[in-house]
Amino acid sequence: MLIVISGPSGVGKGTVIKELLTQLPELQLAISYTTRSPRPGDRPGKDYYFVSPEEFAKIDFLESAEVHGFKYGTPNKEYQGDVLFEVDIQGANAIKAKRPEALTIFILPPSDEELAKRLVKRKTEKPAEIKIRLETARQELKRQWESDYQVVNDKIDHTVNKISEIIKLELEKRKGENK
Ligand code: 5GP
């Protein structure tokens, strides 16, 4: 099963996914390519493959998109087992269009104010970049209903439990359908 997690920048997708992988160790994380520079704490080859725009242009992608001025893409390869993708809403829709059986989950912030607070607190973007991310978030939130499920990230353990339940339920459903 392809499991696509999307949601605005700063909503906590990275932390949610890290915890999910601990709870459901059979899941694999697909590693995206990006042209943005690594941030402190980013692990090249684990969080992303960091490449130049020239290298990016040569790669075969299942989907790719421009987000906040940089390119991001999911490599087009044979994914085995249950794979998690962390992409923006454009990516989620592109994967769903090509692979309609994919499960799409959108993570929401408890409020706009909370999202702004989280972006400021993580100190990884300059004020101008935060402004762009908040504007993108507003646009993305309007499109949350295009995903199969919406989950509010209020408390990390609640969020992870909810998503883990959704994944288990959908895996069971698919097993039933394949009998
Ligand atoms: P960040 O730079 O904060 O790691 O990611 C910025 C945005 O790009 C996030 O919304 C993230 O989900 C999205 N993103 C990361 N990888 C991909 C990808 O492969 N494809 C698409 N479409 N978006 C991605």
Side-chain angles (χ1 to χ4, degrees):
M1 179 164 74
L2 306 187
I3 305 154
V4 184
I5 309 263
S6 64
S9 175
V11 78
K13 283 172 294 186
T15 319
V16 167
I17 286 174
K18 221 170 99 199
E19 291 298 316
L20 257 181
L21 291 169
T22 327
Q23 274 203 19
L24 303 173
E26 64 277 21
L27 297 184
Q28 282 182 62
L29 182 64
I31 304 167
S32 297
Y33 285 81
T34 181
T35 61
R36 83 153 162 79
S37 309
R39 292 195 290 247
D42 274 338
R43 300 158 307 166
K46 284 211 163 138
D47 299 308
Y48 284 109
Y49 295 114
F50 295 96
V51 293
S52 66
E54 293 73 26
E55 285 173 284
F56 191 94
K58 290 188 204 144
I59 299 163
D60 178 25
F61 288 112
L62 174 62
E63 66 75 35
S64 69
E66 191 163 322
V67 190
H68 318 129
F70 297 102
K71 298 237 164 82
Y72 293 82
T74 309
N76 190 16
K77 56 180 213 178
E78 275 300 316
Y79 291 100
Q80 305 287 342
D82 302 319
V83 188
L84 268 185
F85 296 88
E86 195 237 288
V87 297
D88 81 320
I89 195 119
Q90 307 171 69
N93 287 338
I95 296 176
K96 190 83 180 175
K98 284 193 182 158
R99 305 283 299 268
E101 75 284 9
L103 167 67
T104 51
I105 303 172
F106 188 90
I107 306 184
L108 295 162
S111 65
D112 283 5
E113 293 73 33
E114 182 59 32
L115 184 68
K117 248 201 256 167
R118 288 182 193 176
L119 277 172
V120 171
K121 207 169 125 198
R122 75 177 190 186
K123 294 197 181 120
T124 48
E125 282 87 18
K126 300 187 181 83
E129 286 171 5
I130 293 180
K131 224 176 132 207
I132 297 176
R133 281 167 194 255
L134 285 173
E135 185 41 46
T136 311
R138 269 180 216 115
Q139 301 306 324
E140 289 193 324
L141 286 165
K142 285 188 198 154
R143 300 178 60 187
Q144 59 176 282
W145 307 111
E146 294 168 14
S147 296
D148 298 323
Y149 291 87
Q150 297 76 31
V151 176
V152 177
N153 187 17
D154 43 8
K155 276 204 167 136
I156 186 75
D157 47 342
H158 289 174
T159 312
V160 174
N161 287 341
K162 277 187 241 166
I163 297 181
S164 159
E165 286 308 312
I166 293 170
I167 294 175
K168 284 191 242 165
L169 178 85
E170 290 289 334
L171 281 171
E172 279 304 309
K173 266 211 255 174
R174 282 160 170 75
K175 255 198 228 158
E177 282 161 11
N178 289 334
K179 266 189 194 153

